[in-house]
Amino acid sequence: MTTLTAARPQEIAAHALTRAMEYADRAGRFAAHDTAHSLRENGAVIATFSGLATVYAEIAKAATALAAETGRALPKPA
């Protein structure tokens, strides 16, 4: 059985940003093939991973905005 716990907006943003980067990297690896045939064959995979990266980036953006709104934003780097 899985136990659900509440996550803070910063945690959600960090997780979503990590996932966005992972999916963008996967899309990039599939797109890095040199031939047009490879790109044609991998087009759906590239589009899927790119779409997932976009969704996770939007989640990260929304969670960051929520964190800022609630006053629990991540500290600014020094």
Side-chain angles (χ1 to χ4, degrees), residues 10-28:
Q10 307 93 302
E11 295 166 336
I12 295 168
H15 175 79
L17 187 56
T18 299
R19 291 291 176 256
M21 292 174 66
E22 288 174 359
Y23 284 121
D25 183 55
R26 286 183 185 178

Side-chain angles (χ1 to χ4, degrees), residues 2-78:
T2 303
T3 302
L4 299 177
T5 59
R8 295 180 301 170
Q10 307 93 302
E11 295 166 336
I12 295 168
H15 175 79
L17 187 56
T18 299
R19 291 291 176 256
M21 292 174 66
E22 288 174 359
Y23 284 121
D25 183 55
R26 286 183 185 178
R29 282 185 296 203
F30 276 95
H33 291 86
D34 295 350
T35 66
H37 175 72
S38 294
L39 291 175
R40 238 186 351 266
E41 291 294 314
N42 293 327
V45 175
I46 294 167
T48 299
F49 284 139
S50 296
L52 287 168
T54 301
V55 168
Y56 275 107
E58 289 297 320
I59 292 169
K61 189 166 66 171
T64 301
L66 179 62
E69 185 69 27
T70 60
R72 297 191 314 192
L74 295 170
K76 298 199 185 273

